[in-house]
Amino acid sequence: MDSATTTPSPTRSLAPVPSASTEGPGSERITLDWRLGNVPVTGEWIPAESYRDIVEWMPLVCVDTLVVRGGFALLTRRRQEPQAGSLWLQGGRMRKGETLESAALRTAEQECGLRLTLSVPLGTFSTVFDASAHGGATTHTVNTTFLAHARSDDDPRIDTAHEDFIWWSLRRATGNAYLDQVFKLARTHLKIGES
């Protein structure tokens, strides 16, 4: 398997991009874009016990991003549950106040270190995992999955939540029903034959 040979390190793009806006208190216009540093993040997470309760009782709203380049998809091997040790798409939880598109770019660019161009949503999916990073509960996520393009001259710099990466042919089955369905939708959108 082709993988990164350097030690993974966290990276993030800071270049400004067009962003979604939302109405705030008093009807003033607030522009939220993580790359501009103005997404309201306090640095605090939900207390662990509260989050475990949420995972046990509620589905999580997430985004996944299928990063493609030249007929290949970037898959990264996860270090933690759910799916520890598995190859997976870039993605994660949405933050309050984010648009789906902003969340997709934020999570994907933070995880893979590539500058991406978001293309289209491929669909919304429900996934249930037997494990959780926060205790023994299963993890249920509702994912809007996007297609994004990586520049041909950039190399991934995966974050510390992942072990390695591989560029996987979109024509090759992964053996995972969700990933294979997303690959099929991407092939259709990109007009890549099955051959």
Side-chain angles (χ1 to χ4, degrees), residues 5-6 9 31 40-41 66 68 74 79 93 132 134 153 156 172 175 183 186:
T5 57
T6 59
S9 62
T31 301
V41 177
L66 177 64
V68 296
L74 178 65
R79 289 186 188 270
R93 294 179 304 254
S132 166
H134 304 280
D153 59 342
R172 183 175 161 206
F183 278 24

Side-chain angles (χ1 to χ4, degrees), residues 11-188:
T11 61
R12 79 176 205 177
S13 168
L14 297 174
V17 295
S19 62
S21 297
T22 184
E23 295 298 323
S27 296
E28 69 263 14
R29 199 99 169 126
I30 300 170
T31 301
L32 301 176
D33 188 324
W34 73 274
R35 287 179 272 193
L36 298 176
N38 65 354
V39 173
V41 177
T42 64
E44 297 178 18
W45 292 96
I46 296 171
E49 186 175 319
S50 297
Y51 190 72
R52 277 191 296 274
D53 289 343
I54 292 168
V55 171
E56 185 174 342
W57 294 102
M58 302 290 300
L60 304 174
V61 179
C62 296
V63 290
D64 281 337
T65 303
L66 177 64
V67 175
V68 296
R69 179 167 66 192
F72 290 84
L74 178 65
L75 298 179
T76 50
R77 188 172 311 281
R78 294 179 53 88
R79 289 186 188 270
Q80 64 188 27
E81 297 293 353
Q83 296 298 97
S86 298
L87 291 170
W88 205 252
L89 305 177
Q90 289 68 64
R93 294 179 304 254
M94 240 181 116
R95 292 181 177 161
K96 188 173 182 176
E98 276 187 308
T99 64
L100 289 166
E101 294 82 2
S102 293
L105 276 175
R106 174 184 56 82
T107 57
E109 287 186 345
Q110 286 175 340
E111 288 186 6
C112 73
L114 294 171
R115 182 86 171 134
L116 302 173
T117 303
L118 202 60
S119 179
V120 297
L122 294 171
T124 299
F125 305 88
S126 178
T127 53
V128 177
F129 304 101
D130 291 335
S132 166
H134 304 280
T138 60
T139 302
H140 180 188
T141 63
V142 177
N143 315 298
T144 297
T145 304
F146 287 87
L147 179 65
H149 299 273
R151 293 186 348 198
S152 61
D153 59 342
D154 281 349
D155 289 324
R157 293 163 310 205
I158 58 173
D159 67 4
T160 57
H162 298 86
E163 292 179 26
D164 58 9
F165 69 89
I166 186 170
W167 288 100
W168 191 282
S169 173
L170 287 169
R171 291 184 173 108
R172 183 175 161 206
T174 65
N176 177 287
Y178 168 61
L179 294 180
D180 290 342
Q181 183 178 10
V182 170
F183 278 24
K184 183 176 181 178
L185 292 166
R187 286 193 308 268
T188 299

